[in-house]
Amino acid sequence: EVQLVESGGGLVQPGGSLRLSCAASGFTFSSYSMNWVRQAPGKGLEWVSYISSSSSTIYYADSVKGRFTISRDNAENSLYLQMNDLRAEDTAVYYCVRLYGDPKDIDYWGQGTLVTVSS
Amino acid sequence: DVVMTQSPLSLPVTLGQPASISCRSSQSLVYSDGNTYLNWFQQRPGQSPRRLIYKVSNRDSGVPDRFSGSGSGTDFTLKISRVEAEDVGVYYCMQATHWPSWTFGQGTKVEIK
């Protein structure tokens, strides 16, 4: 069974930093590209960042470019999102999402971790 | 970016009655391989999204056959033949054709009258 378990969310002040983690199991993590997708409270879904299976290709949404860094450790079956210079508008549940195929399509989602940016 | 527009945004339905959600994209979702990468996700209250339909009309494993997807090009529809109480939630369409900018519809909230 595919499992994606996010952690690391919490309350942080504007301008602060946070590192999210996603622990993957039930599939060969090193063979899959991954995304982070977020959902502001009561709002819709927004793609945040992409990383290929080997980390050779990375993309970011314009809203987080220059502030967020995606990475992964295939030996540890883990995905990360380093978030710096956080803003109130970054407040959201952050989901770890598995991709497959060509084009990269989404199938499985984690349960999400809540990031709240507030003073 | 490709804009995905859903309607209606709120859908009150009587138990046992059908429901239909429309999704339109600002560009064709036909990929270079001839397939159309349009998905439908269900998000029940307090849960993460779960994929129901992929490539327009293919149901994921375990998805009841009362859910069906159709459409082509830029116009797509999700239908629930007979709404059950467990179908309450928000439904999103999403395109993967124009990656790496995956885009979602605004969501349609399905509730029981």
Side-chain angles (χ1 to χ4, degrees):
Chain A
E1 179 194 3
V2 172
Q3 287 203 335
L4 299 167
V5 180
E6 301 91 336
S7 60
L11 175 63
V12 61
Q13 292 188 339
S17 299
L18 213 52
R19 189 193 195 207
L20 306 183
S21 299
C22 170
S25 61
F27 64 103
T28 305
F29 180 70
S30 59
S31 297
Y32 289 83
S33 298
M34 301 292 294
N35 269 349
W36 286 100
V37 175
R38 68 184 180 184
Q39 185 173 35
K43 301 297 184 182
L45 299 162
E46 179 191 18
W47 167 71
V48 172
S49 185
Y50 162 89
I51 187 167
S52 63
S53 57
S54 64
S55 303
S56 60
T57 303
I58 286 174
Y59 299 111
Y60 299 99
D62 287 343
S63 56
V64 306
K65 202 173 292 182
R67 301 188 297 122
F68 289 13
T69 302
I70 191 172
S71 63
R72 64 190 295 162
D73 184 338
N74 287 341
E76 295 293 327
N77 292 332
S78 293
L79 175 72
Y80 305 102
L81 187 67
Q82 176 66 42
M83 304 185 296
N84 298 332
D85 188 23
L86 283 161
R87 307 167 181 169
E89 54 265 35
D90 296 318
T91 294
V93 174
Y94 285 74
Y95 294 102
C96 167
V97 176
R98 193 179 81 163
L99 298 165
Y100 71 101
D102 177 28
K104 297 303 179 190
D105 204 354
I106 288 176
D107 54 7
Y108 290 96
W109 299 62
Q111 89 289 346
T113 187
L114 176 62
V115 172
T116 302
V117 184
S118 174
S119 54
Chain B
D1 287 358
V2 177
V3 177
M4 306 297 289
T5 304
Q6 289 182 228
S7 63
L9 300 185
S10 178
L11 184 56
V13 187
T14 301
L15 285 173
Q17 292 302 301
S20 180
I21 301 170
S22 171
C23 175
R24 290 186 173 177
S25 58
S26 60
Q27 299 177 36
S28 172
L29 298 186
V30 179
Y31 193 57
S32 54
D33 65 359
N35 290 310
T36 300
Y37 292 87
L38 184 282
N39 300 330
W40 289 95
F41 293 90
Q42 175 195 59
Q43 187 173 33
R44 290 171 171 155
Q47 295 187 13
S48 56
R50 164 203 180 197
R51 196 176 69 176
L52 299 176
I53 302 285
Y54 63 96
K55 286 195 288 186
V56 180
S57 59
N58 297 275
R59 267 191 309 275
D60 272 281
S61 176
V63 174
D65 60 8
R66 63 179 180 275
F67 290 94
S68 64
S70 63
S72 62
T74 60
D75 287 343
F76 306 94
T77 303
L78 175 70
K79 291 184 179 177
I80 310 174
S81 59
R82 296 172 305 280
V83 171
E84 298 188 5
E86 66 178 17
D87 300 335
V88 165
V90 181
Y91 292 78
Y92 295 93
C93 61
M94 185 218 83
Q95 67 82 23
T97 296
H98 298 276
W99 80 286
S101 184
W102 296 262
T103 48
F104 299 84
Q106 315 98 300
T108 295
K109 186 174 184 178
V110 172
E111 58 184 9
I112 305 301
K113 279 184 187 176

